Every structure is written in C-alpha cells, then in structure tokens.
Amino acid sequence: QVQLVESGGGLVQAGGSLRLSCAASGRTFSIYAMGWFRQAPGKEREFVAGIMSSGGITYYADSVKGRFAISRDNAKNTVYLQMNSLKPEDTAVYYCVLGFSSDIPAQMVVPTRWRFWGQGTQVTVSS
C-alpha cells in the first residue's frame, strides 16, 4: 500500500521561499503521476501542480505559475514543491497526491482523479 508523507511546511514572511517534500513508500512510485493540492480554512480544495511519472510534463494553477515549481526524484521516491515569492494568500494545508496512472489526469483539478493523499503540511505566510 502506498503511503505519502509531506514535510517542509512552516511559517515564512511574504516574499520568502519554502520547499515542500513528499516521501512515498511503495514499489511502484516511478510509474505514477503526482501532484499537490492545498486547502485553506473555509475554502475549497485547490489544485496547485502536477507532474507526470517521468517528470517531463508539468502543470500549474494560474495562481502559482511562475512562482512554484514541482519536481521529482524517482530514485529517492520523492516529489518536491519549490515555493518562491510567497504571498499571504498561499497560506493553506498542502497535500501531496499520487495518481492512477503515469499521466496527469485530464481532470487534474478534481480531487477524486487522484488515488492517494498525504496527511498534509501547514504553510503560513505572514504579511
């Protein structure tokens, strides 16, 4: 069974940077697309970024494009989210997700299109 464990969240000032990590257990990590969602209190869950199994194709929400970068190291069973130029509106719990196949799902913004979810890590950006 696949387990996903996020780390790297914390408190940072606006304009700063954080790098989130998601460590995956399981023997088939390298064949699955992965991604990140986030959710702030009282708000809907929001797709942030996705990456195909080989790392060659990525997608980003318009709200983070140019500021965030998703990457993966299949040898380490780990996916990353580099977050730069952070804004207070980036404050949320960030969740790592693993897909059903090697491709990023066509309906990537729909939470049920992703198979496994991590427990989440809190990111707080102060103004």
Side-chain angles (χ1 to χ4, degrees), residues 2-82:
V2 173
Q3 291 182 309
L4 306 174
V5 180
E6 302 96 333
S7 62
L11 176 64
V12 65
Q13 292 183 344
S17 298
L18 283 175
R19 189 193 194 198
L20 305 183
S21 298
C22 175
S25 64
R27 296 178 294 278
T28 58
F29 170 84
S30 64
I31 70 171
Y32 294 112
M34 297 190 72
W36 293 89
F37 278 75
R38 66 186 182 185
Q39 188 167 28
K43 298 182 180 179
E44 293 185 350
R45 196 167 298 174
E46 177 188 20
F47 173 79
V48 176
I51 186 167
M52 69 177 297
S53 60
S54 69
I57 298 175
T58 58
Y59 289 97
Y60 298 94
D62 288 342
S63 59
V64 306
K65 194 173 299 181
R67 299 188 298 120
F68 291 10
I70 187 171
S71 62
R72 66 192 296 160
D73 186 340
N74 286 343
K76 295 182 177 180
N77 287 356
T78 302
V79 64
Y80 305 96
L81 185 68
Q82 179 67 47

Side-chain angles (χ1 to χ4, degrees), residues 79-96:
V79 64
Y80 305 96
L81 185 68
Q82 179 67 47
M83 304 185 295
N84 300 322
S85 301
L86 283 162
K87 305 174 181 179
E89 51 263 46
D90 294 319
T91 296
V93 175
Y94 283 71
Y95 297 93
C96 175

Side-chain angles (χ1 to χ4, degrees), residues 78-125:
T78 302
V79 64
Y80 305 96
L81 185 68
Q82 179 67 47
M83 304 185 295
N84 300 322
S85 301
L86 283 162
K87 305 174 181 179
E89 51 263 46
D90 294 319
T91 296
V93 175
Y94 283 71
Y95 297 93
C96 175
V97 294
L98 185 146
F100 287 94
S101 72
S102 62
D103 295 323
I104 300 168
Q107 302 297 317
M108 65 189 75
V109 305
V110 180
T112 54
R113 294 301 297 164
W114 299 89
R115 179 180 288 179
F116 293 108
W117 292 69
Q119 83 287 350
T121 186
Q122 176 71 46
V123 172
T124 302
V125 183

